[in-house]
Amino acid sequence: MNDLLLKALAGEPVERPPVWFMRQAGRYLPEYHVTRAEAGSFLGLCRKPPLAAEVTLQPLRRFPLDASIVFNDILVPPAAMGMDLDFVQGKGPVFSDPLREVADLDRLKMPSIAEDMPEVLETIRLLVAQLDVPLFGFCGAPFTLAAYMIEGSGSKDFRHAKAFAYKHPAAFARLLDMLAEVTGQYLLAQVEAGCAAAQLFDTWAGDLSQDDFQRWALPYAKKALAPLAGKAPRLYFSRNMGPFMGVVQQVEADAYALDWRVDIAAARKLFGPDVPVMGNLDPIALFGPDELIREKVHSIIRAAGPRGHIFNLGHGVGPHTPIAGVKAMVEAVRDWRW
Ligand code: CP3
């Protein structure tokens, strides 16, 4: 078993950082489109363990990566709580019945992981039987899930979600508490099924003000990660983390994924040498020439230092990304020696 990822997460010395990337399975790979067509729909793909396992493995066949991430989506738990989820071509995820009034929260049920989301656990079991790299489990953080559940879809400003929080703070806190309970149990079930590490995606928390980040994002992300303490290393990711670097460690994760706007050397100085970080190449840099990718990769590795760094993009890889750019990034990381 390749243990580079777990060594880096433990802060042990490594000769080069481990490399994997968020959304490493997906639309930039032609073979993904073939399997997705076979599944009939994106959600169908998430819910068919042999096909979900197949797309998880596809990037590992192309690139010598040091970690895998189970193929799924952060919005599967809200669907298991009773919301009607669809992925609309060109629009992304859509809930046809968003939570817009306080009374709408009564529609939500507390799901049983084993009964309402058994597919992801089955996919994990299929994968760990054949992988020789650690497998990440993941989940959306309570604030980010609540934002989608209230908004009903992606949004530039999440105005319905934020307005709900400002108008109905007690009900919003109740929703976040329920989501923290679900996500904590869900992450724990993924680790018990065989995942070696877990990542919490709080993609939209970076859109909050300082006090709202501390009120609506941090405490619930912390609660979601707590059941995993001592069981598996836990990473916390938020897009646009920069403004919150001084407070984010209140989440009490074991490591932090940094988006590309963050100066990784400054982050290491602020967090201290014992807090591992992951990141943080701009995903759009992969559209550039190989030489530029190589320089950027090496400058990030140099700035992050020899211990406690996992190489990754600063956000997920996009659907139009050239495969040659991904290959150049992975090779540049693998060529590095401390
Ligand atoms: O990293 C991996 O390889 C695992 C798979 C993974 C997916 N979604 C597959 C996916 C992961 C880790 C996610 C997380 C996710 N999903 C997040 C958090 C991370 C982030 O990128 O900020 C969010 C916010 C979502 C919600 C979501 N799911 C959106 C906004 C979209 C549409 C994206 C778009 O560009 O259209 C999805 C759909 C989705 N999830 C796809 C994939 C491969 C594309 C679906 C398709 O095949 O059409």
Side-chain angles (χ1 to χ4, degrees), residues 110-129:
M110 209 61 181
S112 142
I113 312 297
E115 281 168 31
D116 299 310
M117 295 180 268
E119 299 91 349
V120 62
L121 304 180
E122 181 56 25
T123 305
I124 291 167
R125 288 186 205 103
L126 290 175
L127 284 166
V128 290

Side-chain angles (χ1 to χ4, degrees), residues 231-245:
K231 294 194 162 75
R234 305 157 297 171
L235 278 107
Y236 178 78
F237 167 80
S238 177
R239 195 173 166 277
N240 244 337
M241 183 104 98
F244 308 104
M245 294 300 285

Side-chain angles (χ1 to χ4, degrees), residues 20-28 32-33 36 41-43 45-46 55-56 59 68-75 87-93 136 138-140 144-145 148 153-154 158 199-204 237-239 315-319:
W20 71 283
F21 48 105
M22 293 184 267
R23 298 257 190 113
Q24 62 191 25
R27 285 170 294 178
Y28 73 107
Y32 169 80
H33 292 273
R36 188 188 190 278
S41 68
F42 172 72
L43 269 179
L45 180 53
C46 293
V55 289
T56 304
S68 55
I69 179 162
V70 61
F71 191 80
N72 196 17
D73 196 78
I74 62 163
L75 299 178
F87 283 83
V88 180
Q89 207 80 41
K91 195 163 185 248
F136 268 92
F138 73 88
C139 164
T144 291
L145 294 182
Y148 276 107
S153 64
F158 282 92
Q199 181 158 334
L200 195 63
F201 286 95
D202 212 350
T203 307
W204 294 110
F237 167 80
S238 177
R239 195 173 166 277
H315 195 185
V317 63

Side-chain angles (χ1 to χ4, degrees), residues 2-45:
N2 171 340
D3 62 353
L4 206 53
L5 175 83
L6 298 175
K7 274 191 172 155
L9 281 170
E12 290 172 23
V14 284
E15 59 178 18
R16 63 160 177 93
V19 55
W20 71 283
F21 48 105
M22 293 184 267
R23 298 257 190 113
Q24 62 191 25
R27 285 170 294 178
Y28 73 107
L29 292 176
E31 58 271 34
Y32 169 80
H33 292 273
V34 174
T35 314
R36 188 188 190 278
E38 195 185 323
S41 68
F42 172 72
L43 269 179
L45 180 53

